């Protein structure tokens, strides 16, 4: 009887385990999700495959260096990498359940018994040596261990995608902070040029007033306009400082450690080519949040199997050998040697309601994760199409403002020339200068908006990190 039971259990270990619960099937996305983007109908972008290291399209060595610093030293990335290592450790732990577990123990004690508890002629003081070795192995007939490994592998894949998502966000934030710092410097320069222009107008108007060719009110008006423009300088300088401080944090530095060449950079990077964006199919394969949602769905599907396996017996094979000797002699002799060998069956039966409740909860979690995946796909497409639209319209607005600025500059020059000739009054000149100052500021702000829209588009495209192979 005993031999037959052992033979049956050993034969079971050679069979392929029948894993409980549903097998994972990747979710299906809508066919139109793989189509070209609506927003590609603009010369500002192209349908070519999106570039992974997209920041290099700006051809700015200083920006390349900052991104490299951020990828190696950013604190959010360090946190994500630590969580990734934790997920890897969990997977190693789950895999270890496929191997036999072993234990080794041993004790040596020395003691003395009371006289009332000792037999006459027996030594009351003695030394006891006890040692043992045990081996256990779970026969994964119903796939509990297999599903646990699948769960850990899915969690690891999600952690890898989450780490990629952090890298995408950090790179985008770094480029955005750099653009913010340089564009603030450009806007600051525009404001300063406007102030210098109005200072020159004040001198000219003052000279005309002294010569009796202008009214005192003209001097007051141009001075007021100059002071209004000059008041913009401190706020723009504060914006630039804030962007530089943010850049320092993103690259793992204190504000004092930010290199001088970065502080001195005043040129906003510009793209000299259309942005390659690819199509929806490539986007969904590239976006880290979509990959993370898919891996979490795989993990939650496997958790259904882990819970379902508890409906069936958990069978373990085990054995132990040990010895106990008094006085330390003959430890390995036949007398003190002990051993045990046999199966262990653990089965919650017949009351399995708690297990079925856990299975129901796992199925509900899987359904919620599937809905999350579907929503993540839709949001990824929405964000990309929105970013494409914003970028295209930002470029259109910038071109219009460039034309307006050029026209305002010509009008200001003509008005100054005509004022010298006495053809127009100073109010017309002042209005032209005010218009030019506003056009210059609007154009500088539009350049900033275009650069931000580019960064947002690259971020929506997912940064280009490709799926990694989960070990």
């Amino acid at each position: 009887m005993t031999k037959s039971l052992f033979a049956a259990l050993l034969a079971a270990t050679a069979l392929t385990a029948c894993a409980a619960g549903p097998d994972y099937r990747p979710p299906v996305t809508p066919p139109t999700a793989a189509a070209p983007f609506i927003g590609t109908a603009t010369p500002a972008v192209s349908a070519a495959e999106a570039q992974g290291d997209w920041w290099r399209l700006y051809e700015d060595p200083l920006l390349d260096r900052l991104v490299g610093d951020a990828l190696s030293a950013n604190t959010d990335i360090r946190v994500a990498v630590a969580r990734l290592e934790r997920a890897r450790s969990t997977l190693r732990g789950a895999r270890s359940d496929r191997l036999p577990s072993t234990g080794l123990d041993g004790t040596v004690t020395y003691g003395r018994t009371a006289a009332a508890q000792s037999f006459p002629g027996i030594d009351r003081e003695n030394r006891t040596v006890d040692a043992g070795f045990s081996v256990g192995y779970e026969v994964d007939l119903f796939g509990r261990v297999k599903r646990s490994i699948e769960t850990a592998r899915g969690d690891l894949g999600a952690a890898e995608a989450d780490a990629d998502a952090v890298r995408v966000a950090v790179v985008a934030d770094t480029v955005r902070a750099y653009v913010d710092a340089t564009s603030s410097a450009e806007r600051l320069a525009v404001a300063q040029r406007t102030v210098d222009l109005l200072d020159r107008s004040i001198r000219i108007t003052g000279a005309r007033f002294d010569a009796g060719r202008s009214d005192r009110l003209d001097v007051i008006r141009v001075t007021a306009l100059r002071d209004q423009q000059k008041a913009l300088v401190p706020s723009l300088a504060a914006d630039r400082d804030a962007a530089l401080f943010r850049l320092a944090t993103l690259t793992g530095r204190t504000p004092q450690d930010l290199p001088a060449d970065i502080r001195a950079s005043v040129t906003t990077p510009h793209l000299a080519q259309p942005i390659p964006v690819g199509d929806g199919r490539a986007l969904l394969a590239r976006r880290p949040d979509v990959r993370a949602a898919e891996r979490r769905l795989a993990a939650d599907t496997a958790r259904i199997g882990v819970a379902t396996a508890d409906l069936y017996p958990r069978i373990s094979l085990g054995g132990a050998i040990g010895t106990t000797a008094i006085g330390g002699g003959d430890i390995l002799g036949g007398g003190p040697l002990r051993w045990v060998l046999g199966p262990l069956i653990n089965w919650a039966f017949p009351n399995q309601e708690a297990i079925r409740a856990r299975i129901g909860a796992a199925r509900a979690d899987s359904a919620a994760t599937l809905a999350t995946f579907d929503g993540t796909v839709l949001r990824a497409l929405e964000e990309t199409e929105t970013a494409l639209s914003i970028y295209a319209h930002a470029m259109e607005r910038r071109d219009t403002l460039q034309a307006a600025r050029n026209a305002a500059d010509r009008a200001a020059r003509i008005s100054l020339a005509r004022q010298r000739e006495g053809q127009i009054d100073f109010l017309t000149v002042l209005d032209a200068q005010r218009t030019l100052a506003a056009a210059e500021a609007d154009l500088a702000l539009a350049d900033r908006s275009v650069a931000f829209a580019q960064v947002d588009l690259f971020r929506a495209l997912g940064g280009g990190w490709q799926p990694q192979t989960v070990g």
Side-chain angles (χ1 to χ4, degrees):
M1 175 71 176
T2 304
K3 292 182 178 179
S4 300
L5 177 60
F6 281 139
L9 290 173
L10 290 173
T13 63
L15 300 176
T16 302
C18 178
D23 292 329
Y24 176 67
R25 296 288 184 272
V28 178
T29 56
T32 52
F37 298 117
I38 298 172
T40 54
T42 172
V45 300
S46 72
E49 184 63 29
Q51 183 170 329
D53 50 351
W54 54 266
W55 57 91
R56 299 188 186 279
L57 294 173
Y58 289 106
E59 298 181 354
D60 188 332
L62 184 57
L63 178 59
D64 294 344
R65 195 178 88 206
L66 285 170
V67 171
D69 292 344
L71 288 173
S72 62
N74 182 267
T75 55
D76 290 338
I77 292 179
R78 289 164 53 195
V79 171
V81 170
R83 289 173 178 168
L84 178 57
E85 289 303 317
R86 185 182 189 280
R88 286 199 177 104
S89 298
T90 301
L91 177 58
R92 287 197 301 271
R95 284 174 170 169
S96 70
D97 290 341
R98 296 184 300 188
L99 303 174
S101 60
T102 59
L104 182 65
D105 61 87
T107 59
V108 178
T109 59
Y110 181 79
R112 177 176 180 173
T113 58
Q117 296 176 338
S118 300
F119 292 102
I122 304 263
D123 191 359
R124 294 169 56 193
E125 296 183 5
N126 58 69
R127 180 185 298 104
T128 303
V129 179
D130 187 273
F133 175 75
S134 61
V135 178
Y137 174 71
E138 180 178 348
V139 183
D140 196 26
L141 290 178
F142 304 103
R144 186 192 70 83
V145 174
K146 178 183 177 182
R147 295 304 193 198
S148 296
I149 294 173
E150 291 176 1
T151 299
R153 186 180 291 115
D155 289 338
L156 174 58
E160 288 178 336
D162 286 342
D164 284 347
V166 173
R167 294 187 183 99
V168 170
V170 167
V171 170
D173 289 344
T174 300
V175 177
R176 190 181 182 94
Y178 179 72
V179 167
D180 198 5
T182 54
S183 67
S184 293
E186 289 186 345
R187 293 163 61 205
L188 189 60
V190 168
Q192 193 60 58
R193 285 199 305 270
T194 302
V195 171
D196 293 342
L197 174 64
L198 293 174
D199 280 338
R200 188 165 62 250
S201 296
I202 290 174
R203 290 194 298 270
I204 295 173
T205 307
R208 290 173 59 85
F209 171 74
D210 292 339
R213 300 174 58 189
S214 180
D215 189 88
R216 178 68 178 174
L217 184 59
D218 294 340
V219 178
I220 295 174
R221 285 170 172 167
V222 72
T223 301
L225 180 58
R226 190 276 312 276
D227 291 342
Q228 289 175 351
Q229 294 299 312
K230 193 172 183 179
L232 297 176
V233 172
S235 62
L236 292 174
D239 290 344
R240 175 171 167 76
D241 287 343
L244 289 172
F245 299 154
R246 186 164 66 254
L247 196 57
T249 300
L250 287 165
T251 55
R253 297 181 173 95
T254 64
Q256 292 85 352
D257 292 335
L258 198 63
D261 57 346
I262 297 174
R263 293 179 179 274
S265 181
V266 295
T267 303
T268 301
H270 295 281
L271 288 175
Q273 65 182 67
I275 296 178
V277 297
D279 57 17
R281 185 187 305 278
L283 172 75
L284 297 182
R286 184 174 56 247
R287 286 262 304 209
D289 56 342
V290 175
R291 289 190 282 116
E294 187 273 333
R295 288 290 81 204
R296 287 191 174 93
L297 178 59
D300 282 350
T301 302
R303 285 187 178 93
I304 299 175
V306 174
T308 304
D310 288 339
L311 290 173
Y312 308 104
R314 186 179 299 183
I315 302 174
S316 299
L317 301 179
I321 186 171
T323 182
T324 302
I326 299 177
D330 198 21
I331 296 177
L332 299 178
L337 193 65
R338 66 179 184 274
W339 61 271
V340 63
L341 178 68
L344 174 65
I345 299 178
N346 185 1
W347 191 10
F349 184 84
N351 183 8
Q352 296 182 326
E353 190 59 32
I355 298 174
R356 296 187 183 280
R358 291 198 297 271
I359 295 172
R363 291 186 181 278
D365 288 342
S366 179
T369 308
L370 175 59
T372 300
F373 171 82
D374 292 338
T376 303
V377 169
L378 296 178
R379 280 191 296 274
L381 296 170
E382 175 200 356
E383 289 174 4
T384 304
E385 293 287 8
T386 300
L388 283 166
S389 176
I390 291 175
Y391 177 51
H393 289 93
M395 289 287 289
E396 182 181 353
R397 180 173 181 272
R398 193 263 177 203
D399 292 341
T400 302
L401 288 174
Q402 178 69 64
R405 182 265 169 203
N406 294 341
D409 182 61
R410 289 194 299 271
R413 293 176 184 275
I414 292 172
S415 64
L416 282 174
R418 290 185 176 179
Q419 185 199 25
R420 295 190 192 100
E421 298 172 358
Q423 298 179 7
I424 58 176
D425 59 14
F426 182 74
L427 284 177
T428 304
V429 175
L430 185 63
D431 184 64
Q433 291 179 336
R434 183 185 293 112
T435 301
L436 176 59
E440 291 270 12
D442 288 344
L443 180 59
L445 196 58
D447 286 336
R448 178 175 181 265
S449 297
V450 167
F452 280 0
Q454 290 170 350
V455 175
D456 291 342
L457 176 55
F458 284 124
R459 184 171 188 163
L461 291 172
W465 275 271
Q466 297 302 318
Q468 303 179 24
T469 300
V470 178

